[in-house]
Amino acid sequence: MKKLCIVIPCYNEESVLPITASVLGEVLRNLISKDKIAEDSFLLFVDDGSTDRTWELIQSRHEENTIQIRGIKLSGNVGHQFALTAGLLAAKEKSDMVLSIDADLQDDVAVIEEMIDKFYEGHDIVYGVRKERSTDTFLKRTTAQLFYKLMGWFGVKTVYNHADFRLMSKRALEEFAKYTETNLFLRGIMPMLGYPTANVYYNRKERAAGKTKYSLRKMCALAFDGISSFSIKPISMVLGMGVGILLVTIVAIIYALVSYMRGEVVAGWTSLILSVWFLGGLQLFALGLVGKYIGKIYIETKHRPRYHIEAELMEDEE
Ligand code: UDP
Ligand code: MG
């Protein structure tokens, strides 16, 4: 029987935490009774520097049930992605599979069993994918969809409509641990691990209690991190623009010279317009070129692992 750990990042979630703890506790008991997970499977709450009573609530539940309810307290608010990472890395030491889920129960706990079945079928990463987003506000829905489109366009592999509701095997997490970058976007990294994956579909619900901890500012920061930590395409666009404008300059030169020779222009216009186009193009070109090098340095400084070994057949011959 495999041991499951459910990681729950929490930032000021005092209003929803009691519900979450009992609902997820029930999920564990149910799975244990069906012999799908080991008896010492547990919940791991990560307190992301909350300023309300979140940590006290975790502590008191841990005292009631020291095996099933555990917690990590981070010293300050580091944001969802880092809080989740802290939980995942701590959980992998003590379990065979790790599920991550938001504290607000927006993700459907009813599909957890299906995720675990997929795990036993040999999938290392099982993504929870939203079927529709009718419970999200119009703003959240459209910006999120735009974001996934943009990510694809910039060449970042992500699972469409998958947030961080995900089951991972211990070995996938071991590989994930090799990503030591600080500019972290989990949804982009997990598909890079390349292990067998599966999707499980569900409808996203309203928050069980409390209100969103993802302000517009945090959402924008996440979107920018997602793109900038995987792609240096924006820099290439600057370079491309520079090249484009230099090409236009050639046309402008011909046009300006022809107009000049026909005597159709006021004195000084030709030289002025040519310098504007030429210098503008040259500047963008140079900026893009420098940017390309900085982009390479940036990618290099991540020290990302270059490959992940999935299976090995190399026992010594007897
Ligand atoms: N969260 C966190 N640190 C933060 C912001 C959010 O750990 O700085 C947690 C939060 O407690 C929740 C999850 O991340 O468990 C998702 O946040 P939320 O539900 O507020 O985001 P939304 O569903 O509105 O995108
Ligand atoms: Mg939420």
Side-chain angles (χ1 to χ4, degrees):
M1 208 71 54
K2 300 288 187 186
K3 187 166 160 185
L4 170 73
C5 168
I6 303 184
V7 174
I8 311 123
C10 307
Y11 177 55
N12 290 345
E13 298 286 12
E14 62 177 8
S15 58
V16 79
L17 202 107
I19 315 174
T20 312
S22 72
V23 168
L24 290 177
E26 191 49 47
V27 168
L28 284 187
R29 274 188 293 281
N30 179 34
L31 289 168
I32 292 169
S33 72
K34 288 182 177 168
D35 270 346
K36 294 212 169 177
I37 56 171
E39 270 186 41
D40 50 354
S41 297
F42 63 100
L43 307 180
L44 178 62
F45 289 93
V46 182
D47 176 13
D48 183 16
S50 299
T51 50
D52 65 358
R53 291 181 51 247
T54 299
W55 182 243
E56 286 142 58
L57 293 176
I58 296 171
Q59 271 178 317
S60 70
R61 270 154 194 78
H62 173 70
E63 274 152 30
E64 286 162 19
N65 192 342
T66 48
I67 299 292
Q68 207 185 54
I69 303 212
R70 303 185 201 181
I72 296 177
K73 181 177 165 58
L74 304 182
S75 57
N77 180 235
V78 293
H80 177 224
Q81 300 285 294
F82 287 123
L84 188 51
T85 303
L88 291 176
L89 295 182
K92 85 171 164 48
E93 305 299 326
K94 301 200 181 304
S95 55
D96 306 302
M97 51 179 155
V98 181
L99 177 85
S100 51
I101 189 167
D102 287 352
D104 56 10
L105 297 177
Q106 283 193 285
D107 306 312
D108 192 358
V109 297
V111 299
I112 294 179
E113 188 173 346
E114 195 185 336
M115 292 170 106
I116 287 169
D117 292 341
K118 296 261 192 220
F119 169 86
Y120 284 119
E121 284 165 20
H123 300 103
D124 284 86
I125 309 177
V126 185
Y127 297 106
V129 178
R130 247 168 271 173
K131 268 190 266 184
E132 35 117 27
R133 286 175 162 267
S134 57
T135 56
D136 280 344
T137 60
F138 176 76
L139 181 76
K140 186 126 193 168
R141 193 164 61 229
T142 38
T143 51
Q145 267 157 3
L146 186 74
F147 170 67
Y148 286 110
K149 290 259 157 60
L150 209 64
M151 290 292 277
W153 193 61
F154 278 119
V156 188
K157 252 205 294 181
T158 48
V159 179
Y160 191 70
N161 265 346
H162 157 72
D164 286 301
F165 183 34
R166 178 171 53 225
L167 181 72
M168 293 180 72
S169 68
K170 190 188 185 89
R171 70 167 183 173
L173 283 169
E174 298 285 359
E175 292 305 308
F176 163 65
K178 293 181 183 167
Y179 287 74
T180 54
E181 58 205 72
T182 35
N183 200 303
L184 197 64
F185 185 65
L186 300 176
R187 281 166 236 181
I189 291 176
M190 299 318 181
M192 289 176 84
L193 301 179
Y195 284 116
T197 62
N199 291 351
V200 161
Y201 297 89
Y202 69 101
N203 285 324
R204 192 161 158 100
K205 298 186 221 158
E206 308 261 0
R207 237 176 189 276
K211 53 183 197 300
T212 181
K213 304 297 178 301
Y214 252 101
S215 56
L216 188 64
R217 193 175 61 84
K218 277 188 180 170
M219 251 164 61
C220 291
L222 180 72
F224 185 73
D225 268 358
I227 291 166
S228 64
S229 62
F230 281 90
S231 170
I232 51 171
K233 209 162 172 169
I235 299 175
S236 304
M237 281 163 55
V238 174
L239 187 62
M241 243 147 60
V243 173
I245 289 180
L246 283 179
L247 289 178
V248 174
T249 307
I250 298 175
V251 181
I253 289 175
I254 297 169
Y255 173 71
L257 285 182
V258 169
S259 312
Y260 175 72
M261 280 186 287
R262 284 190 180 166
E264 284 170 358
V265 294
V266 271
W269 177 81
T270 317
S271 52
L272 210 61
I273 205 71
L274 286 187
S275 351
V276 168
W277 276 97
F278 180 69
L279 285 177
L282 196 66
Q283 270 171 7
L284 271 184
F285 180 77
L287 206 64
L289 205 61
V290 174
K292 275 286 202 188
Y293 283 94
I294 295 178
K296 283 198 189 280
I297 296 169
Y298 171 64
I299 299 281
E300 210 60 56
T301 50
K302 283 184 188 291
H303 297 298
R304 277 186 185 169
R306 278 160 299 178
Y307 48 79
H308 303 289
I309 297 170
E310 186 180 331
E312 256 181 358
L313 292 173
M314 44 182 292
E315 299 88 43
D316 293 326
E317 217 74 59
E318 287 291 305

